Amino acid sequence: MTGTGTEWWRTAVIYQIYPRSFADANGDGMGDLAGIQSRLPQLRDLGVDAVWLSPFYTSPQRDAGYDVADYCDVDPLFGTLEDFDAMQTAAHDLGIRVIIDIVPNHSSSDHAWFQEALQTAPGSVERARYMFRDGKGATGELPPNNWNSVFGGRAWTRVTEADGTPGQWYLHLFDSTQPDLDWENPWVRDQFRSVLRFWLDRGVDGFRVDVAHGMIKAAGLPDYTPPADGGSMGGGSATLEPDISAEPAATPPFWAQDGVHEIYRDWHAVLAEYPGDRVLAAEAWVDPLTEVAKWVRPDEMHQAFNFAYLETPWNAPKLRRVIDDSLAAFSGVGAPSTWVLSNHDVVRHASRLALGAENLQGHGIGPKTEGLPDTVVGLRRARAASSLMLALPGSSYLYQGEELGLPEVIDLPDSAREDPTWFRTKGERYGRDGCRVPLPWEAAAPSYGFGPSASSWLPQPIEWAGLARDQQMGVAGSTLELYTLALGLRRQFALGLGTVDWLPGFPPEVVAFRSGDVTVIANTGETSVALPVGDVLLASEPLTGRTLPGDTTVWLRA
Ligand code: GLC
């Protein structure tokens, strides 16, 4: 059971490292574990409590490492297990906890488990590890049901049997190189208990659980027709401007099935065998928040990503509503709320918050997208939105580069794109590469200091020289200094343990609340508003006199 209520993760600021794009130590253009280790002091200076690393496991990289071929080893692209240990020790020495990603819904098709399944006959124990089914139609030529892949195209691929004849189909909710495991099979459960223990024994502080809502499918795998606005990771209702008051669509038969909870109770018990407070954080794209809260009941996961918050536009009434709903839903089960604005799957919020047209999650933006954002407005809103988020009680997730105000990269050459979404939709959806471009550290260095060579696996825009960390460090008003100040004040005033006491008397486009000694006011409108008394602790834009301009957030000591 969840312990005393004082666990570190309840209030932590957790920084997502996307290993491919954080820092490259060997100059091959791909980030690596040694690169991460070398840059940890900068994260300590920023003031984060923990890092979450996206996958660095053995993988053919068909989905940027979310296609795992060996759950207990490091891909040579990123280094070795020894490099992992050294990086983790360095992080712990700096007081930074380490959370790693675990990808249980599917493996890579290169995994030995799947290769063995292909080499054995239908009905074998090896096939029973995955979701193999006979096709429909006279000769099994039709897929077993009508499900589509999150990345586009159908969710089934037909195999060729050992005798060369067309054979069974296997399910893949994502790319065809990511076959879904069958979590009804106790063998699969045993394997993953061992994977958890392998990393817990090495000292990790927890796991971010990939596609935590997808592991169990409805019995009989019934057909499913998504609602007209569908197509997101959530399987049908996640858009940039969700009507958070709307009733959710019928649950798709591949998401949020009750059976997943038994698995997480089991995992909770595994983590509880280890000393210290280890954390399980669910990637659960589920509506509404009261449903998400089921993932963090006291004997299940500890945290769940608050994607309803991420999907809320820069709009005060909607923000107040989602904050209230989040606090109510999570506290209803004794869990902290989490907050998040960006990650490796969504358009960076410095662009997203200024988009002029709807953009479904996962579709991404590119040169031909309608309503491309104004970068100045986007950055201003992002700074204001992050300043609001970091004042909220609970735990916040940051995505690497948001502390530099990085925008989504829109004009990546088509030839550089790697997201399977781009390929599976034949370029109809740009996908997620635009938020995954390697970080700029030093304006004057090759690859802006990402690595020692000029190479970076996705090209970096020239404008990023101006956003490089060394250009912002110590520069008053820079986005990096804003984040550093926010994290310091958040700690000083214990805002992670704070409250949200709404303050009356402000126009509707203003979010205003008190948390302990701090008053937080965010103006999502265009008209300036008068500020109440109180020393200014933080302002997301320069202030002139006692007024708060539009798209600006301020923290006052009241
Ligand atoms: C999760 C990851 C995403 C990945 C998908 C399939 O949603 O965040 O990057 O593509 O799962 O593993």
Side-chain angles (χ1 to χ4, degrees), residues 114-130:
F114 190 74
Q115 287 301 314
E116 287 159 13
L118 288 181
Q119 282 149 25
T120 51
S124 65
V125 289
E126 288 81 3
R127 288 231 170 155
R129 299 163 179 170
Y130 292 89

Side-chain angles (χ1 to χ4, degrees), residues 239-484:
T239 66
L240 279 179
E241 299 217 12
D243 177 358
I244 52 181
S245 62
E247 283 300 311
T251 307
F254 36 84
W255 299 142
Q257 301 299 305
D258 282 346
V260 298
H261 297 290
E262 185 186 312
I263 301 168
Y264 296 129
R265 289 194 189 100
D266 187 37
W267 287 23
H268 185 107
V270 173
L271 265 68
E273 290 166 14
Y274 287 79
D277 298 324
R278 319 267 177 143
V279 62
L280 288 170
E283 188 212 21
W285 289 90
V286 175
D287 287 332
L289 279 158
T290 43
E291 238 348 85
V292 185
K294 289 187 181 163
W295 268 259
V296 287
R297 288 177 289 197
D299 58 349
E300 297 198 32
M301 300 227 201
H302 306 91
Q303 292 188 339
F305 283 88
N306 188 341
F307 292 123
Y309 188 72
L310 183 150
E311 289 170 332
T312 302
W314 182 236
N315 169 298
K318 291 185 180 181
L319 284 164
R320 280 194 295 273
R321 170 92 188 255
V322 74
I323 292 168
D324 272 340
D325 287 355
S326 304
L327 294 172
F330 290 113
S331 70
V333 291
S337 184
T338 63
W339 313 100
V340 62
L341 287 166
S342 278
N343 66 31
H344 65 295
D345 290 328
V346 302
V347 174
R348 281 186 177 275
H349 68 283
S351 299
R352 195 181 70 236
L353 295 177
L355 276 176
E358 188 179 59
N359 184 270
L360 287 177
Q361 196 278 322
H363 288 208
I365 58 177
K368 294 189 188 141
T369 301
E370 247 180 82
L372 285 175
D374 174 322
T375 49
V376 174
V377 174
L379 179 57
R380 187 178 174 106
R381 288 189 181 159
R383 290 164 54 105
S386 300
S387 301
L388 171 62
M389 175 179 83
L390 289 168
L392 292 170
S395 173
S396 275
Y397 277 82
L398 305 180
Y399 176 50
Q400 66 178 37
E402 67 171 82
E403 77 280 19
L404 304 176
L406 296 186
E408 186 85 355
V409 180
I410 293 167
D411 54 359
L412 285 172
D414 291 352
S415 58
R417 295 190 185 276
E418 292 203 7
D419 187 346
T421 308
W422 167 256
F423 297 103
R424 291 184 64 85
T425 63
K426 301 192 172 47
E428 193 187 308
R429 299 186 205 161
Y430 288 103
R432 303 158 295 170
D433 291 313
C435 66
R436 299 173 173 182
V437 173
L439 293 192
W441 295 86
E442 290 142 22
S447 65
Y448 305 129
F450 167 59
S453 76
S455 149
S456 74
W457 71 278
L458 285 172
Q460 301 161 297
I462 345 174
E463 309 83 69
W464 280 22
L467 293 170
R469 186 165 298 237
D470 71 342
Q471 299 301 294
Q472 301 199 36
M473 183 86 78
V475 175
S478 71
T479 305
L480 179 62
E481 292 301 328
L482 176 68
Y483 270 74
T484 309

Side-chain angles (χ1 to χ4, degrees), residues 63 66 106 151 174 208 210-211 233 283 344-345 432:
D63 183 22
Y66 281 92
H106 45 265
F151 294 156
F174 295 89
R208 175 267 189 187
D210 191 64
V211 195
M233 297 287 212
E283 188 212 21
H344 65 295
D345 290 328
R432 303 158 295 170

